[in-house]
Each structure stands twice: as structure tokens, then as C-alpha cells.
Amino acid sequence: MLDLRRQVDFELTATSPQKYGKSYPLSQCLEISKAVQKLVGTVDANQLSGPVLIGCLALRGFLAAGGEMRRVWGDLRGSYFQNAFQIGTLYVDVANDTVVPSKPKVEILPFEASGLVAIKDYSHFAKIAESYWSVTAWPNHVYPEIAPFFPLLIETQVGSFELRDPGGYMMGLNLNRAFKPAEAYLTKTAMPEEVRERAAYDLAPLAISLPNASAAGRHEGLKALQRYRSKAMHRDPVAQKRLTERGFAANRLFQTAAKSRSATPAPTEKSKKPPMNILFIHQNFPGQFKHLAPALAKGGHRVVALTMQKVKETRWQGVELVPYSVTQGSTPGTHPWVVDFETKIIRAEGAFRACLKLKEQGFEPDAIIAHPGWGESLFLKEVWPQARLGIFCEFFYLAEGADTGFDPEFPVEDVAGNNCRLRLKNLNNYMHFDVADAAIAPTVWQASTFPEPFRSKITVVHDGIDTQAIQPNPNVSLKLRQTGSDKPLTLSRDDEVITFVNRNLEPMRGCHIFLRALPELLKQRPRAQVIIVGGDGVSYGAKPTVEKNGAASWKDVFINEVRGQIPDADWARVHFVGQVPYANFLSLLQLSTVHVYWTYPFVLSWSLIEAMSAGAAIVASDTAPLREVIQHDENGLLVDFFSVGGVVQSICGLLDDPNKRERLGAAARGAAVTGYDLNTVCLPKQLAWVEALSNHHQRKG
């Protein structure tokens, strides 16, 4: 055991040098125990000798003969939590020095003499936690919805928080007793108001309603507990997973707050910064700002949005809507390379005139946040020179390395001339570089398309996906209309469903590759139902020419190409559903046995992250935007964009391997939750970006 521990020390000293601010090995009994347990089964016996080899072979022989090396956890001698092993009748502690580093690394005793006892309830847990971790334990009266699963709020000496305890032992104790342990702890005296206020402040980015008093939180938590018990949620793994994920999300917020918190205390009502005036500009508002703008309004700021849409209402989720219009169209006969830029100038003038009126009415923005893609924000510094301008950097047009020239099937005509056109198309970007104070982009790859020195101004934060709203649903079902039949087709997770999603079906999003895969895919999978979401227009690329088989849309072009290879009975299993309501779209993702996402090197679609959040097993094109999100064979499969056979092989391989689908789907959801969750990851970062933008304004002012 000492020899194994030495190997573990070498690794963990490098990978985990500190925990809770304490140097290794302090407080790392769990990490050490897990690492030693792994080594027992994996260490190469050929590298061992002498008594170490004899001991290793003896232990392996004991385990092979049916003996157990069981990891145990509990209260050690009334002083601290300890992870150790029970091997036969022995207590074996390989992390004996994680509280007092001068003690021997390994302690072996008869189990009955060890002093390890089980944790009885949450009060027992809290008592040991307070003495062992030097923390204060409170009943969770701040976030009552999850209090039956996370009944403790731990406060450290520096004022950071953590909800406890979803751990295996305590959660099992709680659920096996139908929430009675949590109920006993939540019934305690209401937590101090000052503690609740600080914890609620850290949780503010969740954008949910929290109780405004500890007594109310205590009451609501106990009511939630009774409700969950009446619904038998202590025996419902799906409900348990949903609520524990909310607790994990809250803890990530606490961790973020702890890292960003300075030595000064959290703002009180008296010390909070004054509200700001913030102007959003997006031709099709809210667009990428649909979460950020309402969150700022909810935070007490005055938020105004300029949009080209005709709006019936003057307010949306606390945001004041101000439409603008243009006074002219593009000039007939303008040089084709210049048409795009002229259109942007026309819109920029319309926005400029609307903002002059806002200024006349007394509106002075502290910060302007714009999607510059249509030009509206070009001249706003002429109206408000002191306002800070932050822009959304979606894409910088490249002659090489992105979508242009990527697909040899659709070659660029007049390559040199097209490069000239792209340079002019980027004029709008270059003009914004001179006036923008900061920028934000949803992915590293999209940010990388922008040139230096402006690239250094870009902060990468994804728009965010609500992973709580988009979750796996094993009970999902959906009805589809069937051509030539009055009876709808009802699909569930028991069916073999392949989904493919575009806003519009066009080559830039790989519709030609997927449709060409259908003949062989339908042949190999006689039970599969294929659902294709997307309109008949174009979102990014060009429309098909009339020479393309006389078809009016790209969808028709490629249907005409493959239809003769597919029998009618198989074609009946292909369902083009157009653009569907969002609720139906989410059901399709939850229904997917395999979800397919294809794209040129271009802007990444929200739908991919939404499919990941739904736990779908994903087959995606091996292109630059995807490599940032999908790691091959870890949380999805990547296939060469042009390989029709690769698409078929990967889809069929997943359909034949439910264990692999489950593994990839779970990992995909994990990646969505940890990297792209709206409330715990993306929105807090977006709000911090806006605050940094406004702070700079205040310093300069």
C-alpha cells in the first residue's frame, strides 16, 4: 500500500496540488483512495518486486477468490470525514495523513477498532463538516425548490457557498427514507437573513424567483419536500436527475462568484452600482440577445432596443422597443460588388436618425450592444461619442479556410473577382473595428476568423442554451402526418428515429450529403424513420439555378437526384416537416435515436448544442466549428464532410450499439451543461462582459 501511495503522490502532487486552499495531501482522502483503488487493478506486476510484488499478488488473489476491497466513508473518531477501505475484516486507510500530515500515510487496523462510524443524518454530517472543513453549515432556506435534495448550505471562512449534499451515501440515506433526513434538517431555525441575502446575490444569474426572507424559504422548502414525497419523487430517477442538476448549476454559480469576488464584501442595497442605460441594436431583435437584454432589464437597468421590425408592443420582457425605418432602397445599376455595402449604409443612416430622436428625448446610453452585420451601428458614436460600443462578432469573410471554396461541387466562379467582393463585404467589419470598444463571439473558431489587432478585443462567450428546459425525455412521443393516410404516425423512444435539422435545407448546411445518404441508409435500416427539419429557402448560400433539374429549391434538387434510387415504401419513411414550432422541435431532438448535423466551416447553429443538451447521440461533419464542440468518440462522432458512405456507416453503427449511443449522448449533454448552459455559464459571462464594458466607460468618464 505504501508503494502504491508513492505512485499516487507523484501523480496527484502535479494534477491536484491544492484543495480548499490546502496543499496536497490535506483534504484529499477521496482522491487518494480512488487513485489507489484504481492502481490495485491496473498496476503492472512485472514492474514490482520483493514484498511489494508478494502483497500485490496476494491482494489480487483475495479479490479473484471473491473477497472484497470496499471503499467506505464516514465519521472517523468524531473528528473528520474519512475515505478508507474494508478489506476482509481489516480497516485500511491509505490517506491517513490528509488531516495531520505528520501521521503515517497508511493505517491498517481490525475494522472494529478503527473508530469509523456511519453518518446518521444531516445534523451529524453538518457537525463533522464544521469541525473538519472549518465551515459553517446552514439549512438551505435560500433555494427551496432543490432543498429536499440539497438541504445544507455550507459557508466557508471567506464567505463562499456550496449546497450539500447530493453525495451517494447521503443521497441514498435521504431517498431511502423518503426525504425524512432532509425534512429534519430543513425544519431547523431559519438561516440568518444576512447569509441568505449574500447567497441569493450569488445566485442572481439564475434569473429565477427566490424567497425574500429566510422564514419564507424554510416554509417553501418544506412544502416542496411534501409535494415531492406525495409524487414519490424519491423513487423517480428522472425527477431526481433534473433537480440535482439544478443544484450542480447553483454550485457552479457559487464557484464562479467565489473566484471573481474581490476582498470587498458583496454589494448591499446601499453600495450597488447605479442602473445603466443600455441600447441594443439588432435588425431582427432580439436575435442573439434574447437572454441578455431581458436579464439586464430584470437587473434594474433601462434597456432600449432598436429594431427594423414592425412591432405592435412597445415593451418586451422589460425592454423598450424602438423601430427604425429606411428612406430609400438600393440604387439600380450599382456595381454588384458595392450593393451589399450600400444596403448597410442605408440601414446605418436609418438607425442613426432614430438614435438622434432618442437623444433629443434625453436618452443617453452608457453602453451600446449591437449586431453589426447589417450596418446599423456604424454611425452611433456620432450621436453618443462617450458611449461604449460592444459588438457581436459572428463572422469575418475569408477567401480561404472557411465556407468560400470549401465545396468543390459548387466552385466559385471568377475566383479573383470573388475575393475582391469579399474584401468589400468586410468593409462593414473594418469600419466597426475603428469604433467598437469591445466585442463578443459565440465560439473560438468564429472569433479566430477576425484579424488582429481587433481579434484581441473579442471575448468568446456562447449565446447559451437552457439545459434545464432541454433535457432527455425517455417518455417523449410525437405524431407525424403521413402522406396518403389519415392516420398519424406516432413515434416514441422505442422507434428508430434519425433527425436532420437546418433552418433552410441548403448545401452550406450539408443537405446534399445527407440526402445522398438516404438510399443506402433506408436500405440498411428497414425500421428507421427519418425526420428532416428545414425550409425550402436559403439562409446563407445562393439559390439553385434553373438549370438544376428545374427545381425551385435545393431540397427539390437533391430529392430529384436520389428519389429514383429509393422504393416508394422506403420513401414513405422520410418525413420533411418544414420549419416546426419550437416545442415540437425539442420533442424531435428528445426523440432522436441518432441526430445528424452537417455544416461548411461557418457559423455554428444553436440546434447542435440543443441536440447535445437533449442527450442525443450525434453524427457530425468533421469541420472546424464542430471540432470545437464535438470530440470524436467522446461526445459524438465526426465524419468527413463529403463522405456519404461515412455518414451511413456512422449512423448505422450507432443504431446497432445502444451502449455507445447512451455513452455519447450522456457525454454530449454533460458538455452542453458544463460549457454552454445559459444560466450557470453563458449568461453570467455575458453580464460580466457588459459590466466590464460599462466599468471602462465609468473610468474614462
Side-chain angles (χ1 to χ4, degrees):
M1 288 298 171
L2 278 169
D3 189 78
L4 295 181
R5 174 62 194 276
R6 290 188 192 100
Q7 296 185 51
V8 166
D9 286 345
F10 179 78
E11 179 181 342
L12 291 183
T13 301
T15 60
S16 184
Q18 283 196 334
K19 184 176 179 182
Y20 300 139
K22 301 175 183 179
S23 297
Y24 181 86
L26 297 179
S27 299
Q28 301 210 38
C29 64
L30 175 61
E31 291 79 2
I32 292 170
S33 298
K34 284 184 172 180
V36 167
Q37 188 174 31
K38 181 179 179 181
L39 267 181
V40 166
T42 60
V43 68
D44 186 355
N46 293 322
Q47 303 298 316
L48 306 178
S49 62
V52 176
L53 175 60
I54 294 170
C56 179
L57 295 178
L59 181 54
R60 288 183 176 177
F62 170 74
L63 297 175
E68 286 190 72
M69 179 179 176
R70 186 162 62 96
R71 191 157 52 83
V72 292
W73 171 86
D75 165 6
L76 186 63
R77 302 158 199 159
S79 299
Y80 29 79
F81 300 122
Q82 188 66 17
N83 285 272
F85 298 107
Q86 182 178 359
I87 304 178
T89 60
L90 295 177
Y91 169 86
V92 179
D93 180 2
V94 296
N96 191 47
D97 58 338
T98 56
V99 177
V100 180
S102 60
K103 292 175 67 176
K105 294 177 183 288
V106 175
E107 181 179 57
I108 301 177
L109 297 168
F111 200 90
E112 63 271 17
S114 67
L116 186 75
V117 298
I119 302 292
K120 296 181 295 184
D121 53 30
Y122 283 109
S123 292
H124 187 180
F125 180 94
K127 178 182 177 182
I128 302 300
E130 288 183 327
S131 64
Y132 180 33
W133 294 335
S134 299
V135 299
T136 304
W138 307 105
N140 175 14
H141 297 154
V142 65
Y143 193 171
E145 180 188 11
I146 62 171
F149 291 88
F150 294 79
L152 279 81
L153 181 71
I154 299 294
E155 181 184 8
T156 69
Q157 290 180 328
V158 296
S160 60
F161 297 103
E162 182 182 11
L163 288 166
R164 295 298 294 256
D165 183 77
Y169 177 87
M170 294 304 297
M171 183 62 80
L173 185 74
N174 192 30
L175 298 180
N176 287 339
R177 299 181 185 176
F179 300 115
K180 288 183 180 179
E183 186 173 32
Y185 198 76
L186 292 172
T187 305
K188 288 179 174 289
T189 304
M191 69 190 306
E193 287 299 322
E194 183 268 338
V195 176
R196 182 199 60 78
E197 288 175 1
R198 286 190 289 111
Y201 179 85
D202 285 355
L203 294 177
L206 285 175
I208 61 173
S209 178
L210 296 174
N212 58 8
S214 297
R218 177 179 181 271
H219 176 71
E220 290 178 25
L222 291 170
K223 280 187 63 177
L225 187 148
Q226 293 163 6
R227 186 168 65 252
Y228 297 168
R229 182 185 290 149
S230 68
K231 293 182 178 180
M233 288 173 65
H234 52 289
R235 296 194 292 269
D236 183 351
V238 174
Q240 293 162 21
K241 182 178 180 182
R242 182 179 72 250
L243 288 163
T244 53
E245 282 184 349
R246 292 179 187 176
F248 298 148
N251 277 338
R252 287 193 292 272
L253 272 184
F254 283 139
Q255 291 168 6
T256 300
K259 290 177 182 178
S260 62
R261 186 178 288 119
S262 66
T264 57
T268 63
E269 288 301 319
K270 292 182 180 180
S271 65
K272 283 182 181 178
K273 294 178 182 178
M276 295 183 289
N277 291 334
I278 301 172
L279 176 66
F280 279 90
I281 300 176
H282 194 298
Q283 180 208 31
N284 190 32
F285 183 83
Q288 289 86 354
F289 308 131
K290 69 176 183 178
H291 302 300
L292 178 58
L296 288 164
K298 189 172 183 177
H301 305 292
R302 183 184 178 190
V303 181
V304 177
L306 203 66
T307 175
M308 200 173 177
Q309 295 183 86
K310 293 180 180 179
V311 295
K312 295 181 180 179
E313 304 295 333
T314 58
R315 294 185 73 85
W316 170 79
Q317 296 190 29
V319 179
E320 302 171 39
L321 301 178
V322 177
Y324 83 91
S325 58
V326 298
T327 57
Q328 67 181 78
S330 298
T331 306
T334 298
H335 193 289
W337 293 354
V338 185
V339 170
D340 176 77
F341 187 62
E342 185 194 26
T343 300
K344 289 178 170 60
I345 296 297
I346 291 169
R347 290 176 178 171
E349 184 193 8
F352 169 76
R353 301 294 178 192
C355 287
L356 286 176
K357 291 182 181 179
L358 280 174
K359 185 179 177 70
E360 290 172 4
Q361 296 165 9
F363 181 70
E364 293 286 338
D366 299 296
I368 302 170
I369 301 170
H371 191 311
W374 297 274
E376 288 99 333
S377 44
L378 275 172
F379 306 127
L380 299 193
K381 282 291 188 85
E382 307 301 321
V383 184
W384 296 293
Q386 298 303 314
R388 301 290 294 174
L389 173 61
I391 60 173
F392 184 90
C393 288
E394 189 166 19
F395 195 66
F396 188 88
Y397 298 95
L398 301 175
E400 295 180 355
D403 58 312
T404 301
F406 172 75
D407 193 338
E409 184 174 345
F410 306 100
V412 175
E413 298 178 4
D414 184 17
V415 174
N418 185 67
N419 291 349
C420 298
R421 182 185 63 83
L422 289 179
R423 287 187 63 190
L424 287 171
K425 197 172 179 67
N426 276 326
L427 269 179
N428 177 57
N429 282 318
Y430 280 115
M431 290 182 70
H432 275 94
F433 294 167
D434 291 336
V435 294
D437 299 289
I440 194 168
T443 67
V444 172
W445 184 78
Q446 285 169 253
S448 74
T449 64
F450 286 79
E452 291 290 6
F454 189 78
R455 167 66 184 88
S456 299
K457 289 187 177 182
I458 303 175
T459 299
V460 176
V461 182
H462 194 266
D463 311 329
I465 299 298
D466 189 345
T467 63
Q468 295 302 318
I470 309 172
Q471 297 194 38
N473 180 5
N475 300 316
V476 68
S477 65
L478 195 66
K479 290 184 178 180
L480 293 177
R481 295 177 183 173
Q482 296 189 88
T483 304
S485 174
D486 295 333
K487 185 179 179 181
L489 174 66
T490 301
L491 298 174
S492 72
R493 290 286 298 173
D494 293 330
D495 295 295
E496 197 170 274
V497 179
I498 303 164
T499 55
F500 180 82
V501 173
N502 288 177
R503 182 189 304 173
N504 281 295
L505 299 172
E506 55 186 320
M508 188 170 282
R509 294 305 197 191
C511 78
H512 55 317
I513 304 298
F514 183 71
L515 290 176
R516 287 167 180 166
L518 288 180
E520 185 62 25
L521 185 60
L522 293 166
K523 179 181 178 181
Q524 290 195 30
R525 310 304 301 188
R527 292 181 50 249
Q529 301 287 339
V530 180
I531 304 177
I532 300 174
V533 177
D536 292 349
V538 292
S539 299
Y540 306 107
K543 295 179 180 179
T545 60
V546 291
E547 290 81 13
K548 288 286 184 179
N549 300 333
S553 68
W554 286 114
K555 180 184 80 173
D556 291 338
V557 167
F558 298 113
I559 287 177
N560 291 345
E561 178 183 325
V562 303
R563 182 63 182 88
Q565 306 169 46
I566 303 173
D568 291 347
D570 286 347
W571 187 248
R573 295 186 283 118
V574 180
H575 311 277
F576 290 90
V577 297
Q579 294 173 334
V580 299
Y582 191 65
N584 290 356
F585 167 70
L586 294 186
S587 294
L588 281 173
L589 296 181
Q590 293 167 331
L591 193 67
S592 299
T593 314
V594 174
H595 178 73
V596 181
Y597 178 78
W598 236 245
T599 184
Y600 285 10
F602 195 62
V603 174
L604 192 71
S605 303
W606 288 341
S607 67
L608 172 72
I609 314 296
E610 289 169 322
M612 294 171 67
S613 184
I618 294 169
V619 174
S621 59
D622 188 8
T623 44
L626 275 302
R627 296 181 201 122
E628 185 175 331
V629 181
I630 299 291
Q631 287 73 52
H632 180 66
D633 205 30
E634 291 185 16
N635 60 356
L637 299 180
L638 294 176
V639 179
D640 178 80
F641 181 94
F642 303 103
S643 177
V644 173
V647 177
V648 175
Q649 182 180 1
S650 295
I651 294 173
C652 292
L654 280 182
L655 292 175
D656 283 330
D657 193 341
N659 291 333
K660 188 172 185 178
R661 291 201 310 271
E662 183 177 359
R663 173 176 65 81
L664 295 179
R669 173 158 176 80
V673 170
T674 58
Y676 301 92
D677 180 68
L678 172 67
N679 292 313
T680 62
V681 180
C682 299
L683 189 55
K685 289 182 179 179
Q686 291 168 15
L687 291 169
W689 177 75
V690 174
E691 185 171 347
L693 187 68
S694 64
N695 282 347
H696 189 86
H697 167 78
Q698 291 168 2
R699 289 195 299 272
K700 298 293 280 188

